[in-house]
Amino acid sequence: MEVQAIRGFNDVLPEEIGRWQFVEKTARKVFEGFGFSEIRIPILERTELFSRGIGEATDIVEKEMYTFTDRSGNSLTLRPEATASMARAYLEHQLYNFDSMAKLYCIGPMFRYERPQKGRYRQFYQVDAEVFGVENPMVDAELIAMLIHFLKSVGLERLELQLNTLGDRACRPKYREGLKKYLEGKVSQLCEDCRRRLESNPLRILDCKVETCKQAIADAPKVTDFICSECQNHFDRVKEYLEAAGLSYVLNPRMVRGLDYYTRTAFEVVSYQLGSQNAVAGGGRYDNLFQEIGGKEIPGIGFAIGMERLISLLPEGGEFVKHPDLFVAALGEASFKEAYRIVNQLHLEGIRAELDYEGKSLKSQMRRADKLKSRYTLILGQEELNRGKALLRNMGTKSQEEIPMGDGFLNQLKDKISTID
Ligand code: AMP
C-alpha cells in the first residue's frame, strides 16, 4: 500500500503555492512597514511552556497538544501556537534590554490534535504578530489596524471585526464567579464538556457550539457588568483609538477566546464567506503570560491569522500560478545543445525558461509548452539552425517572428519576451 499523509496534515502543492507566497510576502511588507521584525522560533518546546502559559484548563492543553517524551525523558510538545514561544524567546534573549518595546512577527506551522474538518486541520499555518512591553490602549488599536490593513491588502472584503474585553486579574474572578453561579442553575442544559468547564473554566462555556449550551447562556451575565474601572477605561480608549483610525467593530460579549492568558482586549476577525469555521484571525492582550512562564510582569498583545482560512478566501488560480516565460522546443542534437545553452543563460538571469529533456517530437514539445502555459515558445529545429534563425512564437496571440542567431541574439530574445502584450 502507498504511504499516505497523516489525517489533518496537508501538502501545499505547487499550483497553490503562489497564493501562500503572496500572503507571506504581503505580511512581511505590511508588518515591517509598521515596525515589526521577524523572529523564528522552534517548532518543539518544553511542554511546561504551554501548560503554564496557555493554562491547564484549556481545550488546547487538555486535549489538543502533540506531546511526547524524547529519548532523554523530557516531555516535549509541538507548538500549538506561537505567542508563548515568542514570549519565551523575548525573555531568554533579554530583548527588553535593547528596547522595552518589542514588535515581533513569525510565520509557520502550528499543531493541534483537533477533529479535522474544512478549515480545521491538525497542522495549520499561522501568521503571528506580537507587541511586548506596552500597556497603552493605543497599541491595541494600532495592532488591530495593522491586522485589518493586512487583510485588506491581500484582497479580503466583507470582514467583521469583533471586540470584547475580558477584564484582568482583579475583576475577571468576580465575573467568573457570577457566571458560574448563574450557570449552576442551568446545569441540566449543559453538555458534558461544559459541566466539567463549570468547575475548571466557566468562561469557555460562553463559546460552546452545542445548542442547549447556547440557550443556557442566552441571558448569562456579561463581562462588562463586572469589569473594574481600569479595565473599562482601557477598553473605552481602545474603542476610541479604533474609531480614530476609521475602523468599525461589533461588540461581542460572548467572545472569550480559547486561551487562559488573555486579559482585557480580545478580538476576532470573521468572514461570513467561511461557513462554520469563520474566524480568519484572533488575538488579544495578555498581561499575565510572562509571569506564568516565569518572567517578570510584562504586558503583551498579539494576534494570529489562520493561513489556510485566509487563502481559501482569495480568488482562484489566475495571477497566483506561475508559468514559464519561454519554452525552447528543439529538434536534433545540435539544436538541443543550443537550446540548453539558451535556457541556462536565461536561468542565470532569473527568466523562467523550460526545455524538453526526453528527445520528443517537435509537436509533442509544442503540446507541452501549451500545457505549461508558457508565454512564448522558441522553435529551434534543424531547419532554423541551418538558416541561422530561431522562430519565436507568442503562445497567446499565435504570432511568430524570426530572430537571427548571431551576436546579440540573447538580448533580442530577452527584449521580446519581456515586453508585456
Ligand atoms: P487561535 O490561535 O486559536 O486564536 O487561532 C487563530 C486563528 O488560527 C484562527 O482564527 C484560525 O484562522 C486559525 N486556526 C486555529 N486553529 C486552526 C486549525 N485547527 N486549523 C486551521 N486553522 C486554525
Side-chain angles (χ1 to χ4, degrees), residues 224-268:
T224 35
D225 304 332
F226 287 80
I227 57 170
C228 59
S229 57
E230 283 87 356
C231 286
Q232 184 65 55
N233 184 34
H234 193 274
F235 194 40
D236 289 342
R237 290 178 60 211
V238 172
K239 289 187 280 185
E240 269 167 37
Y241 287 123
L242 284 175
E243 283 154 26
L247 294 175
S248 53
Y249 54 83
V250 173
L251 295 178
N252 178 0
R254 303 271 177 248
M255 191 227 308
V256 292
R257 315 269 309 124
L259 292 73
D260 265 6
Y261 57 55
Y262 286 119
T263 52
R264 295 190 168 170
T265 318
F267 55 94
E268 273 186 4

mmCIF file of all heavy atoms in Angstrom, residues 224-268:
data_model
loop_
_atom_site.group_PDB
_atom_site.id
_atom_site.type_symbol
_atom_site.label_atom_id
_atom_site.label_comp_id
_atom_site.label_asym_id
_atom_site.label_seq_id
_atom_site.Cartn_x
_atom_site.Cartn_y
_atom_site.Cartn_z
ATOM 1 N N THR A 224 -18.890 42.791 30.855
ATOM 2 C CA THR A 224 -18.928 44.248 31.035
ATOM 3 C C THR A 224 -19.743 44.659 32.267
ATOM 4 O O THR A 224 -19.635 45.784 32.739
ATOM 5 C CB THR A 224 -19.498 44.919 29.765
ATOM 6 O OG1 THR A 224 -20.500 44.073 29.210
ATOM 7 C CG2 THR A 224 -18.416 45.163 28.728
ATOM 8 N N ASP A 225 -20.565 43.718 32.798
ATOM 9 C CA ASP A 225 -21.288 44.048 34.035
ATOM 10 C C ASP A 225 -20.367 43.963 35.246
ATOM 11 O O ASP A 225 -20.728 44.393 36.339
ATOM 12 C CB ASP A 225 -22.457 43.053 34.265
ATOM 13 C CG ASP A 225 -23.409 43.015 33.084
ATOM 14 O OD1 ASP A 225 -23.499 44.041 32.384
ATOM 15 O OD2 ASP A 225 -24.043 41.963 32.853
ATOM 16 N N PHE A 226 -19.204 43.359 35.061
ATOM 17 C CA PHE A 226 -18.342 43.083 36.213
ATOM 18 C C PHE A 226 -16.995 43.802 36.193
ATOM 19 O O PHE A 226 -16.321 43.842 37.200
ATOM 20 C CB PHE A 226 -18.046 41.565 36.297
ATOM 21 C CG PHE A 226 -19.224 40.759 36.747
ATOM 22 C CD1 PHE A 226 -20.234 40.418 35.870
ATOM 23 C CD2 PHE A 226 -19.331 40.335 38.071
ATOM 24 C CE1 PHE A 226 -21.331 39.673 36.276
ATOM 25 C CE2 PHE A 226 -20.416 39.590 38.489
ATOM 26 C CZ PHE A 226 -21.435 39.253 37.594
ATOM 27 N N ILE A 227 -16.574 44.292 35.037
ATOM 28 C CA ILE A 227 -15.176 44.752 34.973
ATOM 29 C C ILE A 227 -14.916 46.003 35.813
ATOM 30 O O ILE A 227 -15.790 46.838 36.022
ATOM 31 C CB ILE A 227 -14.668 44.985 33.525
ATOM 32 C CG1 ILE A 227 -15.534 45.983 32.773
ATOM 33 C CG2 ILE A 227 -14.497 43.691 32.782
ATOM 34 C CD1 ILE A 227 -14.901 46.374 31.457
ATOM 35 N N CYS A 228 -13.653 46.090 36.259
ATOM 36 C CA CYS A 228 -13.249 47.200 37.120
ATOM 37 C C CYS A 228 -13.083 48.472 36.281
ATOM 38 O O CYS A 228 -13.021 48.412 35.043
ATOM 39 C CB CYS A 228 -11.945 46.857 37.838
ATOM 40 S SG CYS A 228 -10.579 46.503 36.730
ATOM 41 N N SER A 229 -12.969 49.600 36.944
ATOM 42 C CA SER A 229 -12.927 50.863 36.202
ATOM 43 C C SER A 229 -11.664 50.975 35.347
ATOM 44 O O SER A 229 -11.708 51.540 34.249
ATOM 45 C CB SER A 229 -13.052 52.049 37.156
ATOM 46 O OG SER A 229 -12.025 51.971 38.101
ATOM 47 N N GLU A 230 -10.539 50.394 35.795
ATOM 48 C CA GLU A 230 -9.317 50.464 34.970
ATOM 49 C C GLU A 230 -9.523 49.719 33.645
ATOM 50 O O GLU A 230 -9.147 50.202 32.584
ATOM 51 C CB GLU A 230 -8.098 49.834 35.687
ATOM 52 C CG GLU A 230 -7.489 50.689 36.766
ATOM 53 C CD GLU A 230 -8.185 50.480 38.109
ATOM 54 O OE1 GLU A 230 -9.187 49.726 38.179
ATOM 55 O OE2 GLU A 230 -7.718 51.081 39.100
ATOM 56 N N CYS A 231 -10.138 48.539 33.757
ATOM 57 C CA CYS A 231 -10.361 47.750 32.531
ATOM 58 C C CYS A 231 -11.381 48.442 31.627
ATOM 59 O O CYS A 231 -11.227 48.457 30.405
ATOM 60 C CB CYS A 231 -10.834 46.338 32.861
ATOM 61 S SG CYS A 231 -9.511 45.307 33.500
ATOM 62 N N GLN A 232 -12.399 49.019 32.244
ATOM 63 C CA GLN A 232 -13.423 49.723 31.458
ATOM 64 C C GLN A 232 -12.788 50.899 30.713
ATOM 65 O O GLN A 232 -13.017 51.106 29.527
ATOM 66 C CB GLN A 232 -14.545 50.217 32.389
ATOM 67 C CG GLN A 232 -15.699 50.884 31.645
ATOM 68 C CD GLN A 232 -16.450 49.915 30.729
ATOM 69 O OE1 GLN A 232 -16.926 48.869 31.185
ATOM 70 N NE2 GLN A 232 -16.530 50.227 29.445
ATOM 71 N N ASN A 233 -11.943 51.623 31.442
ATOM 72 C CA ASN A 233 -11.266 52.777 30.862
ATOM 73 C C ASN A 233 -10.344 52.361 29.712
ATOM 74 O O ASN A 233 -10.331 52.989 28.642
ATOM 75 C CB ASN A 233 -10.482 53.473 31.988
ATOM 76 C CG ASN A 233 -9.821 54.734 31.487
ATOM 77 O OD1 ASN A 233 -10.377 55.412 30.630
ATOM 78 N ND2 ASN A 233 -8.626 55.016 31.994
ATOM 79 N N HIS A 234 -9.617 51.276 29.928
ATOM 80 C CA HIS A 234 -8.718 50.763 28.890
ATOM 81 C C HIS A 234 -9.543 50.402 27.644
ATOM 82 O O HIS A 234 -9.202 50.775 26.516
ATOM 83 C CB HIS A 234 -7.964 49.540 29.422
ATOM 84 C CG HIS A 234 -6.799 49.108 28.558
ATOM 85 N ND1 HIS A 234 -6.959 48.257 27.489
ATOM 86 C CD2 HIS A 234 -5.480 49.426 28.604
ATOM 87 C CE1 HIS A 234 -5.765 48.065 26.917
ATOM 88 N NE2 HIS A 234 -4.851 48.767 27.575
ATOM 89 N N PHE A 235 -10.632 49.717 27.870
ATOM 90 C CA PHE A 235 -11.493 49.274 26.769
ATOM 91 C C PHE A 235 -12.078 50.472 26.015
ATOM 92 O O PHE A 235 -12.078 50.504 24.780
ATOM 93 C CB PHE A 235 -12.615 48.388 27.329
ATOM 94 C CG PHE A 235 -13.364 47.606 26.284
ATOM 95 C CD1 PHE A 235 -12.715 47.014 25.215
ATOM 96 C CD2 PHE A 235 -14.750 47.440 26.386
ATOM 97 C CE1 PHE A 235 -13.411 46.280 24.257
ATOM 98 C CE2 PHE A 235 -15.448 46.708 25.439
ATOM 99 C CZ PHE A 235 -14.779 46.132 24.369
ATOM 100 N N ASP A 236 -12.541 51.460 26.770
ATOM 101 C CA ASP A 236 -13.113 52.656 26.132
ATOM 102 C C ASP A 236 -12.083 53.336 25.241
ATOM 103 O O ASP A 236 -12.402 53.814 24.153
ATOM 104 C CB ASP A 236 -13.608 53.651 27.190
ATOM 105 C CG ASP A 236 -14.857 53.135 27.897
ATOM 106 O OD1 ASP A 236 -15.503 52.218 27.343
ATOM 107 O OD2 ASP A 236 -15.153 53.633 28.998
ATOM 108 N N ARG A 237 -10.857 53.371 25.716
ATOM 109 C CA ARG A 237 -9.822 54.036 24.926
ATOM 110 C C ARG A 237 -9.448 53.220 23.689
ATOM 111 O O ARG A 237 -9.169 53.779 22.633
ATOM 112 C CB ARG A 237 -8.619 54.376 25.808
ATOM 113 C CG ARG A 237 -9.019 55.500 26.787
ATOM 114 C CD ARG A 237 -7.930 55.890 27.728
ATOM 115 N NE ARG A 237 -6.743 56.379 27.037
ATOM 116 C CZ ARG A 237 -5.509 56.240 27.504
ATOM 117 N NH1 ARG A 237 -5.295 55.611 28.648
ATOM 118 N NH2 ARG A 237 -4.495 56.722 26.847
ATOM 119 N N VAL A 238 -9.452 51.891 23.822
ATOM 120 C CA VAL A 238 -9.201 51.061 22.623
ATOM 121 C C VAL A 238 -10.255 51.393 21.569
ATOM 122 O O VAL A 238 -9.929 51.623 20.394
ATOM 123 C CB VAL A 238 -9.264 49.546 22.959
ATOM 124 C CG1 VAL A 238 -9.195 48.712 21.686
ATOM 125 C CG2 VAL A 238 -8.144 49.148 23.914
ATOM 126 N N LYS A 239 -11.499 51.487 21.998
ATOM 127 C CA LYS A 239 -12.587 51.777 21.047
ATOM 128 C C LYS A 239 -12.404 53.162 20.428
ATOM 129 O O LYS A 239 -12.564 53.328 19.212
ATOM 130 C CB LYS A 239 -13.946 51.663 21.761
ATOM 131 C CG LYS A 239 -14.291 50.205 22.101
ATOM 132 C CD LYS A 239 -15.693 50.045 22.653
ATOM 133 C CE LYS A 239 -15.744 50.406 24.115
ATOM 134 N NZ LYS A 239 -17.023 50.162 24.748
ATOM 135 N N GLU A 240 -12.019 54.122 21.266
ATOM 136 C CA GLU A 240 -11.781 55.485 20.744
ATOM 137 C C GLU A 240 -10.691 55.484 19.675
ATOM 138 O O GLU A 240 -10.835 56.101 18.617
ATOM 139 C CB GLU A 240 -11.291 56.407 21.864
ATOM 140 C CG GLU A 240 -12.369 57.136 22.603
ATOM 141 C CD GLU A 240 -11.793 57.752 23.866
ATOM 142 O OE1 GLU A 240 -10.628 58.226 23.848
ATOM 143 O OE2 GLU A 240 -12.505 57.732 24.895
ATOM 144 N N TYR A 241 -9.586 54.795 19.966
ATOM 145 C CA TYR A 241 -8.474 54.782 19.003
ATOM 146 C C TYR A 241 -8.847 54.027 17.723
ATOM 147 O O TYR A 241 -8.395 54.382 16.639
ATOM 148 C CB TYR A 241 -7.211 54.162 19.629
ATOM 149 C CG TYR A 241 -6.539 55.069 20.632
ATOM 150 C CD1 TYR A 241 -6.319 54.650 21.946
ATOM 151 C CD2 TYR A 241 -6.100 56.344 20.269
ATOM 152 C CE1 TYR A 241 -5.706 55.475 22.871
ATOM 153 C CE2 TYR A 241 -5.486 57.177 21.182
ATOM 154 C CZ TYR A 241 -5.288 56.740 22.486
ATOM 155 O OH TYR A 241 -4.678 57.563 23.381
ATOM 156 N N LEU A 242 -9.663 53.005 17.867
ATOM 157 C CA LEU A 242 -10.115 52.289 16.658
ATOM 158 C C LEU A 242 -10.953 53.226 15.801
ATOM 159 O O LEU A 242 -10.792 53.283 14.581
ATOM 160 C CB LEU A 242 -10.939 51.049 17.028
ATOM 161 C CG LEU A 242 -10.158 49.844 17.528
ATOM 162 C CD1 LEU A 242 -11.109 48.731 17.973
ATOM 163 C CD2 LEU A 242 -9.220 49.303 16.448
ATOM 164 N N GLU A 243 -11.817 53.968 16.474
ATOM 165 C CA GLU A 243 -12.654 54.924 15.728
ATOM 166 C C GLU A 243 -11.783 55.990 15.082
ATOM 167 O O GLU A 243 -11.993 56.364 13.921
ATOM 168 C CB GLU A 243 -13.706 55.543 16.664
ATOM 169 C CG GLU A 243 -14.860 54.572 16.915
ATOM 170 C CD GLU A 243 -15.580 54.801 18.243
ATOM 171 O OE1 GLU A 243 -15.555 55.947 18.737
ATOM 172 O OE2 GLU A 243 -16.143 53.830 18.779
ATOM 173 N N ALA A 244 -10.765 56.445 15.820
ATOM 174 C CA ALA A 244 -9.867 57.472 15.265
ATOM 175 C C ALA A 244 -9.136 56.939 14.030
ATOM 176 O O ALA A 244 -8.786 57.697 13.123
ATOM 177 C CB ALA A 244 -8.863 57.912 16.319
ATOM 178 N N ALA A 245 -8.917 55.608 14.004
ATOM 179 C CA ALA A 245 -8.243 55.011 12.838
ATOM 180 C C ALA A 245 -9.252 54.677 11.736
ATOM 181 O O ALA A 245 -8.890 54.084 10.712
ATOM 182 C CB ALA A 245 -7.486 53.752 13.260
ATOM 183 N N GLY A 246 -10.502 55.032 11.961
ATOM 184 C CA GLY A 246 -11.532 54.816 10.934
ATOM 185 C C GLY A 246 -11.999 53.371 10.844
ATOM 186 O O GLY A 246 -12.509 52.939 9.814
ATOM 187 N N LEU A 247 -11.820 52.610 11.925
ATOM 188 C CA LEU A 247 -12.206 51.191 11.875
ATOM 189 C C LEU A 247 -13.521 50.952 12.589
ATOM 190 O O LEU A 247 -13.750 51.477 13.684
ATOM 191 C CB LEU A 247 -11.118 50.338 12.542
ATOM 192 C CG LEU A 247 -9.774 50.327 11.829
ATOM 193 C CD1 LEU A 247 -8.752 49.566 12.634
ATOM 194 C CD2 LEU A 247 -9.928 49.695 10.444
ATOM 195 N N SER A 248 -14.375 50.157 11.980
ATOM 196 C CA SER A 248 -15.626 49.839 12.659
ATOM 197 C C SER A 248 -15.499 48.459 13.297
ATOM 198 O O SER A 248 -14.700 47.631 12.868
ATOM 199 C CB SER A 248 -16.794 49.897 11.681
ATOM 200 O OG SER A 248 -16.504 49.093 10.583
ATOM 201 N N TYR A 249 -16.288 48.224 14.326
ATOM 202 C CA TYR A 249 -16.223 46.953 15.052
ATOM 203 C C TYR A 249 -17.606 46.621 15.571
ATOM 204 O O TYR A 249 -18.501 47.472 15.622
ATOM 205 C CB TYR A 249 -15.234 47.059 16.219
ATOM 206 C CG TYR A 249 -15.525 48.230 17.135
ATOM 207 C CD1 TYR A 249 -16.491 48.121 18.138
ATOM 208 C CD2 TYR A 249 -14.873 49.440 16.961
ATOM 209 C CE1 TYR A 249 -16.792 49.203 18.956
ATOM 210 C CE2 TYR A 249 -15.170 50.527 17.772
ATOM 211 C CZ TYR A 249 -16.132 50.402 18.767
ATOM 212 O OH TYR A 249 -16.434 51.483 19.557
ATOM 213 N N VAL A 250 -17.756 45.378 15.967
ATOM 214 C CA VAL A 250 -19.005 44.924 16.560
ATOM 215 C C VAL A 250 -18.639 44.373 17.931
ATOM 216 O O VAL A 250 -17.685 43.596 18.047
ATOM 217 C CB VAL A 250 -19.607 43.792 15.685
ATOM 218 C CG1 VAL A 250 -20.820 43.176 16.350
ATOM 219 C CG2 VAL A 250 -19.958 44.324 14.310
ATOM 220 N N LEU A 251 -19.355 44.793 18.959
ATOM 221 C CA LEU A 251 -19.038 44.258 20.292
ATOM 222 C C LEU A 251 -19.627 42.856 20.408
ATOM 223 O O LEU A 251 -20.774 42.631 20.029
ATOM 224 C CB LEU A 251 -19.612 45.166 21.381
ATOM 225 C CG LEU A 251 -19.005 46.572 21.449
ATOM 226 C CD1 LEU A 251 -19.689 47.400 22.527
ATOM 227 C CD2 LEU A 251 -17.494 46.510 21.691
ATOM 228 N N ASN A 252 -18.820 41.929 20.886
ATOM 229 C CA ASN A 252 -19.295 40.561 21.076
ATOM 230 C C ASN A 252 -18.936 40.096 22.481
ATOM 231 O O ASN A 252 -17.856 39.551 22.708
ATOM 232 C CB ASN A 252 -18.668 39.632 20.016
ATOM 233 C CG ASN A 252 -19.106 38.195 20.214
ATOM 234 O OD1 ASN A 252 -19.871 37.882 21.139
ATOM 235 N ND2 ASN A 252 -18.630 37.309 19.362
ATOM 236 N N PRO A 253 -19.840 40.317 23.438
ATOM 237 C CA PRO A 253 -19.528 39.993 24.838
ATOM 238 C C PRO A 253 -19.387 38.495 25.097
ATOM 239 O O PRO A 253 -18.947 38.090 26.163
ATOM 240 C CB PRO A 253 -20.717 40.577 25.617
ATOM 241 C CG PRO A 253 -21.796 40.790 24.621
ATOM 242 C CD PRO A 253 -21.167 40.909 23.270
ATOM 243 N N ARG A 254 -19.738 37.659 24.096
ATOM 244 C CA ARG A 254 -19.607 36.200 24.267
ATOM 245 C C ARG A 254 -18.237 35.691 23.820
ATOM 246 O O ARG A 254 -17.928 34.522 23.960
ATOM 247 C CB ARG A 254 -20.662 35.474 23.436
ATOM 248 C CG ARG A 254 -22.073 35.886 23.744
ATOM 249 C CD ARG A 254 -22.640 35.027 24.867
ATOM 250 N NE ARG A 254 -23.967 35.472 25.218
ATOM 251 C CZ ARG A 254 -24.268 36.053 26.381
ATOM 252 N NH1 ARG A 254 -23.340 36.238 27.283
ATOM 253 N NH2 ARG A 254 -25.498 36.431 26.646
ATOM 254 N N MET A 255 -17.463 36.548 23.179
ATOM 255 C CA MET A 255 -16.176 36.079 22.650
ATOM 256 C C MET A 255 -15.151 36.025 23.788
ATOM 257 O O MET A 255 -14.806 37.041 24.367
ATOM 258 C CB MET A 255 -15.699 37.040 21.559
ATOM 259 C CG MET A 255 -14.525 36.512 20.781
ATOM 260 S SD MET A 255 -13.273 37.743 20.602
ATOM 261 C CE MET A 255 -14.180 39.094 19.972
ATOM 262 N N VAL A 256 -14.719 34.797 24.127
ATOM 263 C CA VAL A 256 -13.788 34.675 25.253
ATOM 264 C C VAL A 256 -12.401 34.216 24.817
ATOM 265 O O VAL A 256 -11.448 34.319 25.561
ATOM 266 C CB VAL A 256 -14.320 33.734 26.348
ATOM 267 C CG1 VAL A 256 -15.518 34.354 27.025
ATOM 268 C CG2 VAL A 256 -14.669 32.372 25.786
ATOM 269 N N ARG A 257 -12.288 33.675 23.599
ATOM 270 C CA ARG A 257 -11.028 33.146 23.099
ATOM 271 C C ARG A 257 -10.612 31.932 23.937
ATOM 272 O O ARG A 257 -10.912 31.844 25.101
ATOM 273 C CB ARG A 257 -9.916 34.197 23.090
ATOM 274 C CG ARG A 257 -10.338 35.519 22.543
ATOM 275 C CD ARG A 257 -10.132 35.688 21.056
ATOM 276 N NE ARG A 257 -8.794 35.361 20.635
ATOM 277 C CZ ARG A 257 -8.540 34.445 19.700
ATOM 278 N NH1 ARG A 257 -9.500 33.807 19.102
ATOM 279 N NH2 ARG A 257 -7.304 34.189 19.345
ATOM 280 N N GLY A 258 -9.900 31.007 23.291
ATOM 281 C CA GLY A 258 -9.675 29.718 23.941
ATOM 282 C C GLY A 258 -8.520 29.628 24.935
ATOM 283 O O GLY A 258 -8.300 28.595 25.525
ATOM 284 N N LEU A 259 -7.767 30.689 25.102
ATOM 285 C CA LEU A 259 -6.552 30.572 25.899
ATOM 286 C C LEU A 259 -6.690 31.362 27.188
ATOM 287 O O LEU A 259 -7.228 32.461 27.190
ATOM 288 C CB LEU A 259 -5.337 31.083 25.088
ATOM 289 C CG LEU A 259 -4.964 30.219 23.882
ATOM 290 C CD1 LEU A 259 -5.939 30.358 22.738
ATOM 291 C CD2 LEU A 259 -3.579 30.585 23.407
ATOM 292 N N ASP A 260 -6.171 30.774 28.270
ATOM 293 C CA ASP A 260 -6.321 31.415 29.583
ATOM 294 C C ASP A 260 -5.594 32.731 29.718
ATOM 295 O O ASP A 260 -5.912 33.538 30.556
ATOM 296 C CB ASP A 260 -5.749 30.471 30.656
ATOM 297 C CG ASP A 260 -6.841 29.636 31.271
ATOM 298 O OD1 ASP A 260 -7.984 29.727 30.781
ATOM 299 O OD2 ASP A 260 -6.546 28.910 32.235
ATOM 300 N N TYR A 261 -4.538 32.912 28.909
ATOM 301 C CA TYR A 261 -3.682 34.055 29.202
ATOM 302 C C TYR A 261 -4.241 35.410 28.787
ATOM 303 O O TYR A 261 -3.691 36.438 29.129
ATOM 304 C CB TYR A 261 -2.265 33.860 28.657
ATOM 305 C CG TYR A 261 -2.085 33.597 27.175
ATOM 306 C CD1 TYR A 261 -2.595 34.438 26.208
ATOM 307 C CD2 TYR A 261 -1.324 32.495 26.770
ATOM 308 C CE1 TYR A 261 -2.372 34.202 24.868
ATOM 309 C CE2 TYR A 261 -1.101 32.245 25.424
ATOM 310 C CZ TYR A 261 -1.625 33.100 24.485
ATOM 311 O OH TYR A 261 -1.404 32.877 23.160
ATOM 312 N N TYR A 262 -5.351 35.413 28.069
ATOM 313 C CA TYR A 262 -5.866 36.710 27.621
ATOM 314 C C TYR A 262 -6.422 37.551 28.772
ATOM 315 O O TYR A 262 -7.081 37.044 29.670
ATOM 316 C CB TYR A 262 -6.957 36.518 26.561
ATOM 317 C CG TYR A 262 -6.392 36.094 25.228
ATOM 318 C CD1 TYR A 262 -6.745 34.888 24.652
ATOM 319 C CD2 TYR A 262 -5.487 36.910 24.559
ATOM 320 C CE1 TYR A 262 -6.214 34.494 23.429
ATOM 321 C CE2 TYR A 262 -4.955 36.524 23.335
ATOM 322 C CZ TYR A 262 -5.325 35.316 22.783
ATOM 323 O OH TYR A 262 -4.789 34.943 21.583
ATOM 324 N N THR A 263 -6.130 38.829 28.737
ATOM 325 C CA THR A 263 -6.703 39.796 29.680
ATOM 326 C C THR A 263 -7.157 40.988 28.839
ATOM 327 O O THR A 263 -6.599 41.253 27.780
ATOM 328 C CB THR A 263 -5.644 40.309 30.665
ATOM 329 O OG1 THR A 263 -4.521 40.782 29.925
ATOM 330 C CG2 THR A 263 -5.190 39.237 31.642
ATOM 331 N N ARG A 264 -8.121 41.678 29.318
ATOM 332 C CA ARG A 264 -8.617 42.889 28.641
ATOM 333 C C ARG A 264 -8.991 42.644 27.176
ATOM 334 O O ARG A 264 -9.747 41.721 26.893
ATOM 335 C CB ARG A 264 -7.591 44.019 28.788
ATOM 336 C CG ARG A 264 -7.455 44.421 30.256
ATOM 337 C CD ARG A 264 -6.658 45.676 30.442
ATOM 338 N NE ARG A 264 -6.802 46.149 31.810
ATOM 339 C CZ ARG A 264 -6.080 47.104 32.330
ATOM 340 N NH1 ARG A 264 -5.147 47.709 31.625
ATOM 341 N NH2 ARG A 264 -6.280 47.478 33.573
ATOM 342 N N THR A 265 -8.390 43.413 26.259
ATOM 343 C CA THR A 265 -8.831 43.378 24.862
ATOM 344 C C THR A 265 -8.785 41.980 24.231
ATOM 345 O O THR A 265 -7.736 41.332 24.247
ATOM 346 C CB THR A 265 -7.931 44.297 24.016
ATOM 347 O OG1 THR A 265 -7.694 45.495 24.747
ATOM 348 C CG2 THR A 265 -8.550 44.605 22.679
ATOM 349 N N ALA A 266 -9.907 41.554 23.659
ATOM 350 C CA ALA A 266 -9.930 40.319 22.859
ATOM 351 C C ALA A 266 -10.624 40.667 21.545
ATOM 352 O O ALA A 266 -11.555 41.472 21.531
ATOM 353 C CB ALA A 266 -10.711 39.232 23.582
ATOM 354 N N PHE A 267 -10.138 40.094 20.454
ATOM 355 C CA PHE A 267 -10.763 40.415 19.162
ATOM 356 C C PHE A 267 -10.669 39.250 18.202
ATOM 357 O O PHE A 267 -9.793 38.391 18.326
ATOM 358 C CB PHE A 267 -10.133 41.676 18.538
ATOM 359 C CG PHE A 267 -8.637 41.596 18.383
ATOM 360 C CD1 PHE A 267 -8.063 41.158 17.197
ATOM 361 C CD2 PHE A 267 -7.787 41.964 19.419
ATOM 362 C CE1 PHE A 267 -6.686 41.072 17.045
ATOM 363 C CE2 PHE A 267 -6.406 41.887 19.284
ATOM 364 C CZ PHE A 267 -5.862 41.444 18.100
ATOM 365 N N GLU A 268 -11.589 39.247 17.273
ATOM 366 C CA GLU A 268 -11.556 38.259 16.195
ATOM 367 C C GLU A 268 -11.985 38.942 14.911
ATOM 368 O O GLU A 268 -12.766 39.895 14.956
ATOM 369 C CB GLU A 268 -12.521 37.093 16.483
ATOM 370 C CG GLU A 268 -11.859 36.020 17.309
ATOM 371 C CD GLU A 268 -12.678 34.771 17.530
ATOM 372 O OE1 GLU A 268 -13.795 34.652 16.981
ATOM 373 O OE2 GLU A 268 -12.184 33.918 18.278
#
